[in-house]
């Protein structure tokens, strides 16, 4: 079965006399899990991915305990008898293609790369679930909270996102837009990182950001996170007083990104107030 858009699926369900959306939905992607949990009607969502229960990655891990989980395998998803499967762009292609060959509609969501993309994903989920009214309510709340948090005036202080393997993000990424909405000036933009990429430790040190936002390391040691324990990184973090981002709030393009904006905006306010007093 060819890929169907959200509008085409809605027309299909309407033509067959079904209610305005699918009655048994399976999500196999962390980000679609959360959007579906926010918007699905009671009993509509049959399963979410197992990652939805991971407190490190999921902003709705506790909420996900109410749903059976799947591991993205075609066999297990088929046995759940869904009338719609929701996947992400990086979900297992073999699984989605097999499900389509078995006649199960699959809708693929692209990742959100901006705060505006978050709005588009909410609208898309509302369409495919037949929950447009719920999506409009969620969008209204999202827009109101974002407008309340977005800073006006000059962006300050200079900030750096610095994660495992030295990854950083510029203003053409969701993480970079979170920084901007919180009123921070992202040094990644100064250094030519429009999207995401690896920033050498030496470049970070020479840039001397006033505000460092890092990720919290996993409990077990990993080589990819050795850069976070480097004395230079620790010095910059201690000097700025900034903490670690709550990874789950940053990973997916859902309204939970606003918690990241709110947290950074408060840390920025404390930093600026301290600077102004000095």
């Amino acid at each position: 079965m060819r890929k169907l858009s959200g509008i085409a699926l809605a027309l299909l369900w309407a033509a067959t006399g079904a209610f305005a959306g699918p009655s048994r939905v399976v999500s196999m992607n962390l980000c679609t899990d959360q959007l579906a949990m926010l918007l699905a009607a009671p009993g509509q969502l049959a399963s979410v991915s197992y990652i939805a229960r991971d407190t490190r990655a999921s902003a709705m891990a506790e909420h996900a305990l109410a749903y059976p989980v799947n591991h993205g395998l075609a066999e297990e998803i088929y046995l759940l008898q869904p009338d719609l499967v929701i996947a992400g762009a990086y979900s297992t292609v073999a699984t989605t293609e097999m499900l389509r060959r078995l006649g199960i509609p699959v809708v693929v969501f692209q990742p959100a790369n901006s705060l505006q993309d978050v709005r588009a994903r909410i609208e898309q989920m509302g369409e495919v679930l037949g929950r447009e009214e719920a999506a409009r309510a969620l969008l209204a709340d999202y827009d109101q909270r974002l407008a309340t948090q977005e800073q006006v005036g000059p962006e300050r202080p200079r900030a750096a996102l610095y994660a495992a393997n030295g990854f950083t993000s510029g203003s053409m990424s969701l993480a970079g837009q979170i920084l901007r909405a919180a009123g921070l000036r992202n040094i990644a933009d100064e250094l030519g990182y429009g999207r995401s990429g690896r920033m050498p430790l030496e470049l970070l040190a020479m840039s001397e950001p006033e505000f460092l936002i890092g990720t919290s390391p996993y409990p077990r040691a990993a080589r990819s996170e050795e850069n976070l324990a480097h004395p230079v990184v620790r010095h910059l973090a201690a000097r700025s007083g900034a903490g670690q981002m709550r990874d789950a709030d940053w990973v997916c393009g859902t309204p939970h990104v606003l918690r990241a904006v709110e947290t950074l905006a408060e840390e920025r306010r404390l930093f600026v107030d301290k600077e102004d007093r000095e």
Side-chain angles (χ1 to χ4, degrees):
M1 177 178 286
R2 64 184 179 85
K3 177 182 175 182
L4 297 175
S5 69
I7 294 175
L9 281 170
L11 292 173
L12 173 62
W13 287 312
T16 57
F19 85 105
S23 60
R24 191 166 178 81
V25 178
V26 171
S27 171
M28 52 180 285
N29 171 266
L30 171 65
C31 299
T32 59
D33 291 338
Q34 295 175 80
L35 287 172
M37 285 189 284
L38 286 168
L39 291 174
Q44 186 179 25
L45 185 58
S47 176
V48 296
S49 77
Y50 72 99
I51 306 176
R53 295 182 177 182
D54 183 346
T55 56
R56 280 270 317 193
S58 174
M60 299 181 67
E62 185 174 350
H63 195 75
L65 295 174
Y67 299 90
V69 299
N70 68 79
H71 296 78
L73 302 176
E75 297 88 341
E76 65 172 340
I77 291 176
Y78 179 77
L79 291 175
L80 290 170
Q81 300 182 317
D83 52 6
L84 174 67
V85 171
I86 305 171
Y90 300 109
S91 297
T92 307
V93 176
T95 295
T96 56
E97 289 304 316
M98 183 177 292
L99 292 170
R100 287 186 178 121
R101 288 197 297 272
L102 291 169
I104 298 174
V106 177
V107 173
V108 174
F109 279 60
Q110 296 298 319
N113 295 314
S114 68
L115 293 172
Q116 189 62 30
D117 281 353
V118 175
R119 299 189 85 265
R121 300 302 168 265
I122 294 171
E123 289 178 338
Q124 183 182 6
M125 186 60 74
E127 281 185 1
V128 301
L129 295 181
R131 298 279 291 167
E132 290 89 347
E133 185 175 347
R136 285 192 290 271
L138 188 60
L139 279 172
D141 179 71
Y142 174 80
D143 289 340
Q144 182 179 23
R145 288 176 61 195
L146 181 60
T148 300
Q149 288 300 323
E150 284 187 308
Q151 304 295 315
V152 295
E155 295 175 352
R156 58 182 286 225
R158 294 173 65 254
L161 278 168
Y162 196 66
N165 279 323
F167 270 86
T168 192
S169 299
S171 60
M172 295 175 69
S173 69
L174 180 59
Q177 291 208 357
I178 289 172
L179 259 68
R180 175 168 289 181
L184 299 170
R185 179 180 173 187
N186 193 347
I187 69 165
D189 296 329
E190 300 174 9
L191 300 172
Y193 292 89
R195 297 186 183 275
S196 298
R198 296 182 68 174
M199 180 189 297
L201 179 61
E202 296 84 356
L203 191 56
L204 174 70
M206 290 188 295
S207 299
E208 296 186 323
E210 301 167 274
F211 210 74
L212 185 71
I213 304 120
T215 55
S216 52
Y218 277 87
R220 296 181 180 179
R223 286 188 176 182
S224 64
E225 295 176 335
E226 288 179 352
N227 61 298
L228 302 178
H230 194 281
V232 169
V233 177
R234 289 184 173 180
H235 169 72
L236 290 172
R239 186 183 67 177
S240 69
Q244 297 167 331
M245 67 175 75
R246 183 176 182 266
D247 297 350
D249 292 340
W250 296 67
V251 172
C252 292
T254 75
H256 297 298
V257 299
L258 297 180
R259 290 199 300 217
V261 174
E262 290 161 1
T263 298
L264 285 181
E266 177 60 17
E267 291 187 356
R268 172 190 180 274
R269 185 188 66 79
L270 294 173
F271 183 94
V272 171
D273 286 350
K274 180 181 177 182
E275 289 264 298
D276 291 344
R277 287 196 303 270
E278 295 175 352

